[in-house]
Amino acid sequence: MSSSHLKRAGAAMISVAALSFGAPAQAADPAPAAATETGSGFQFLPWGSEPCAMTCSVTGYAGVYVATAMSSLFLKGRLFAPWTWDTTDNQFIGASASRKFATYENLWDLEAEVGIGKRFGSGLNGGEVWTAMYWRWNYFPWNDYIRTTVAVSTGLNVASKIDRIEDEKSTSNSHLLHYLAPEITFGLPDQPNWNLVLRFHHRSGGKLGVFNDNSGGAQYQTVGLRYTW
């Protein structure tokens, strides 16, 4: 047998021995992860069969009717002086379920919400249902002591009836109105599942044609409790 044949035979025997003793094979390329990012730091969160992982919440709240215009509260410096607000003996109770679906570097989130509520009183006693998207700002320098978030919504609210107070506030009426409900939440760092919620529950048309040129609606200052899991 020639030397070239011996060399080829030796190489073959070494290869067989390496395979027999478990020489590592070349690892296959990993399957690509599902693409969730649409930009630097911004990420959509998976839904469906995925667990909530602190993205799901339920909230219950109640409050009183506020007759002072929302523009006066938020644009004329009366927001932090509730003793100057005009209120009536009409009340509201509501409940909502929400889930976070996008986040940006733990600074702010986007959430989807559905809710249902009931009015009580002489001038407002119908029901409400709504769906909304919330933008929530999460970062405050004191969060190690009191967890704080601020959020604002845009969505649609449907009332079961046109109550007297809503009828008196506008020359045009609509069961369907815009849902704008800013809120602030507070929680303890060692109780991440629970938050105190202060929400200004507000529906109005803003004189938009899509809402029959309605310019008024019902609004309540409410306080509630939120559980997140």
Side-chain angles (χ1 to χ4, degrees):
M1 181 178 291
S2 66
S3 60
S4 62
H5 288 101
L6 288 173
K7 290 179 180 179
R8 285 196 293 269
M13 291 175 65
I14 292 172
S15 299
V16 172
L19 290 174
S20 299
F21 285 97
Q26 183 177 0
D29 291 334
T36 57
E37 295 185 359
T38 59
S40 177
F42 182 78
Q43 187 177 30
F44 283 107
L45 304 177
W47 278 20
S49 61
E50 297 291 332
C52 282
M54 296 299 289
T55 63
C56 302
S57 300
V58 290
T59 306
Y61 56 96
V64 297
Y65 181 80
V66 177
T68 306
M70 190 180 199
S71 59
S72 177
L73 298 180
F74 286 84
L75 301 178
K76 298 182 180 180
R78 299 180 63 185
L79 179 62
F80 300 104
W83 55 89
T84 68
W85 300 0
D86 297 322
T87 60
T88 71
D89 61 352
N90 289 274
Q91 296 85 36
F92 179 86
I93 60 171
S96 65
S98 61
R99 185 163 185 177
K100 179 168 62 175
F101 67 86
T103 187
Y104 178 78
E105 296 184 354
N106 296 320
L107 291 177
W108 54 263
D109 303 325
L110 295 177
E111 304 166 4
E113 178 183 279
V114 292
I116 186 170
K118 179 69 173 66
R119 306 166 176 176
F120 297 91
S122 58
L124 292 162
N125 52 36
E128 297 181 18
V129 294
W130 64 89
T131 181
M133 182 180 73
Y134 269 87
W135 178 86
R136 182 176 307 279
W137 179 260
N138 298 310
Y139 175 74
F140 290 92
W142 55 83
N143 277 356
D144 288 340
Y145 306 97
I146 297 292
R147 291 185 295 101
T148 306
T149 75
V150 173
V152 65
S153 71
T154 182
L156 297 174
N157 178 296
V158 180
S160 63
K161 56 185 284 191
I162 304 297
D163 284 321
R164 176 180 58 80
I165 290 180
E166 283 196 342
D167 184 54
E168 293 174 350
K169 291 179 67 174
S170 179
T171 56
S172 301
N173 294 303
S174 175
H175 291 271
L176 175 67
L177 292 177
H178 181 242
Y179 184 64
L180 175 63
E183 68 172 36
I184 183 170
T185 74
F186 302 99
L188 298 175
D190 60 350
Q191 297 290 331
N193 300 95
W194 294 99
N195 287 280
L196 176 71
V197 181
L198 302 177
R199 174 179 288 195
F200 196 80
H201 178 95
H202 172 93
R203 62 178 240 123
S204 68
K207 295 185 178 180
L208 299 177
V210 68
F211 301 114
N212 196 30
D213 295 314
N214 178 283
S215 60
Q219 57 184 20
Y220 301 82
Q221 178 52 52
T222 70
V223 60
L225 196 61
R226 173 169 296 149
Y227 180 75
T228 302
W229 72 96

